[in-house]
Amino acid sequence: MIYAFITINMLMGQWLFAKTYGGTADEYAYSITQTSDGGYAVAGYTESFGAGNSDFLVLKLNSNGSLAWARTFGGANWDIASSITQTSDGGYAVAGYTDSFGAGNADFLVLKLNPDASLAWARTFGGTHYDYAYSITRTSDGGYAVAGYTESFGAGDYDLLVLKLGSDGNYPGCVQECSPTVYDVSPTITLPSFGADCSPSTSSPSLTVNTPNLTITNACAPVELTETELAKPKITCSPLPGAALFISPYDVGIKIYKSDGRLAYSGELHEGENRLSLEPGVYIWETNIQKGKLAVR
C-alpha cells in the first residue's frame, strides 16, 4: 500500500492540483514549505527507496506540482524527516531523527542541502536514549533552531529539547558528523480525484491558561538507567502484520505513539501475550519503566 505524498494548492476554495508521489511500499510526508521560485519542498520518509528500512525523502516540486527532483538520505536502519525549511542560499535544511547514526537508539539528524540537492553536511545530536527532532527553522543570524524531545537529557522521562546550530551545523558539544547514503529516486506520480465542499462547525472555546514551572537544563549530560530499572524483567515486542505482539512479565500500563508524536493507543498490558492491532507505520511505545520502537507493516 502506498501512503502517498499529497501536495495541494488552493485559490478561492478551488483545487489547483493534487498529486501523489510514491513507490510500492510506504511514503509519508510530514512537512512542506513554499520555495523562493514559487514551488514547494516536501520532507518525509520512504520505505520504497533508499539505503535502509526507511530514509529521509525530500522532494522539490515546481509550482504546478511537477517533480523537479527527489532524493533520499539515510543509513541501514530508520531515518525519518519531520521538518524542512529553505535556507538563505536557496538550499534546504531538514530535521528529523535517525537510528542509523549517532550515539544510540534515536538521535536528532539535521541535514543541509545545497540548491541542487547535493548534501552540504549532516549532523546528529543526542545521547544514549531516544531523541527526536520535529521542527527546524532558519534564524536571523544564518543558523538554525531545532525543536523536539529527548529522553537522554533533562529532568526525567521525555523533556522538550531545543538546539541552536550555527550556519555550518556546529554546536559546542554532543554533535557528531555522519555520512548518510544519498540516492536520486523516481517516485511514481498519480493524479487522484477527491475533495468536496463542506461546512465545518465553528466555536469559541474557553481555555484554561496556566503558567507551568519548567525545569530547564543544559544538554550533554546523559542520564543512565538505574540499577533498579536494569534489574526488572523486560517486556518484549514483535511486529505482526497489522499488529504488535507484546509479551509482558507483569501487568502494566502502556502508551503507543505514532512517529509524529500522536497517541495511537493507551491501555494495559497483562501478564503474558498481548496482541494490539495497529495501522502500518513506525511507533514509539512506553511503559513506566521501559520504552521501545516498533515498525508495523
Side-chain angles (χ1 to χ4, degrees):
M1 181 182 296
I2 297 176
Y3 289 81
F5 291 104
I6 300 175
T7 304
I8 300 165
N9 190 12
M10 299 190 71
L11 179 64
M12 299 299 290
Q14 301 298 313
W15 297 105
L16 295 186
F17 67 81
K19 297 185 179 184
T20 70
Y21 312 81
T24 57
D26 292 347
E27 279 75 46
Y28 289 81
Y30 287 130
S31 181
I32 185 170
T33 187
Q34 188 164 33
T35 53
S36 57
D37 62 0
Y40 305 91
V42 183
Y45 75 90
T46 175
E47 296 181 16
S48 300
F49 314 100
N53 292 325
S54 72
D55 277 20
F56 278 32
L57 177 57
V58 181
L59 307 182
K60 173 62 176 70
L61 308 181
N62 298 316
S63 59
N64 62 357
S66 61
L67 184 65
W69 49 257
R71 186 158 286 190
T72 65
F73 307 85
N77 297 316
W78 295 96
D79 307 293
I80 296 176
S82 304
S83 183
I84 189 169
T85 186
Q86 191 167 34
T87 57
S88 58
D89 64 356
Y92 306 92
V94 188
Y97 53 91
T98 177
D99 61 8
S100 298
F101 312 99
N105 290 313
D107 279 16
F108 279 32
L109 176 57
V110 180
L111 309 180
K112 168 62 173 66
L113 309 184
N114 297 315
D116 63 357
S118 60
L119 182 64
W121 48 257
R123 307 275 193 271
T124 66
F125 175 95
T128 57
H129 300 303
Y130 292 95
D131 309 293
Y132 298 92
Y134 283 112
S135 181
I136 188 169
T137 187
R138 181 164 56 93
T139 56
S140 58
D141 63 359
Y144 307 96
V146 187
Y149 64 90
T150 177
E151 188 190 19
S152 298
F153 314 104
D157 292 326
Y158 287 113
D159 280 19
L160 182 150
L161 177 57
V162 177
L163 175 65
K164 174 64 171 68
L165 298 176
S167 60
D168 57 0
N170 286 332
Y171 171 85
C174 296
V175 169
Q176 301 178 28
E177 293 190 15
C178 62
S179 299
T181 303
V182 181
Y183 289 115
D184 288 313
V185 297
S186 299
T188 300
I189 301 175
T190 66
L191 303 174
S193 177
F194 65 93
D197 293 335
C198 61
S199 299
S201 300
T202 61
S203 63
S204 298
S206 178
L207 302 178
T208 299
V209 180
N210 293 313
T211 302
N213 184 17
L214 301 177
T215 299
I216 301 173
T217 63
N218 289 321
C220 301
V223 178
E224 301 296 339
L225 292 174
T226 66
E227 291 183 5
T228 301
E229 290 172 324
L230 291 171
K232 290 186 177 181
K234 297 297 183 182
I235 299 167
T236 62
C237 176
S238 302
L240 300 173
L245 178 64
F246 289 88
I247 301 177
S248 178
Y250 37 71
D251 294 342
V252 66
I254 188 172
K255 291 184 178 180
I256 304 176
Y257 298 91
K258 296 184 178 181
S259 59
D260 60 3
R262 290 179 295 163
L263 183 65
Y265 176 84
S266 179
E268 297 287 328
L269 294 181
H270 300 289
E271 182 178 352
E273 294 187 356
N274 300 261
R275 187 183 189 279
L276 303 181
S277 297
L278 296 168
E279 296 179 353
V282 179
Y283 297 87
I284 304 299
W285 59 271
E286 64 178 10
T287 67
N288 60 344
I289 61 169
Q290 192 177 342
K291 298 178 176 67
K293 182 182 288 187
L294 169 68
V296 176
R297 296 186 179 274

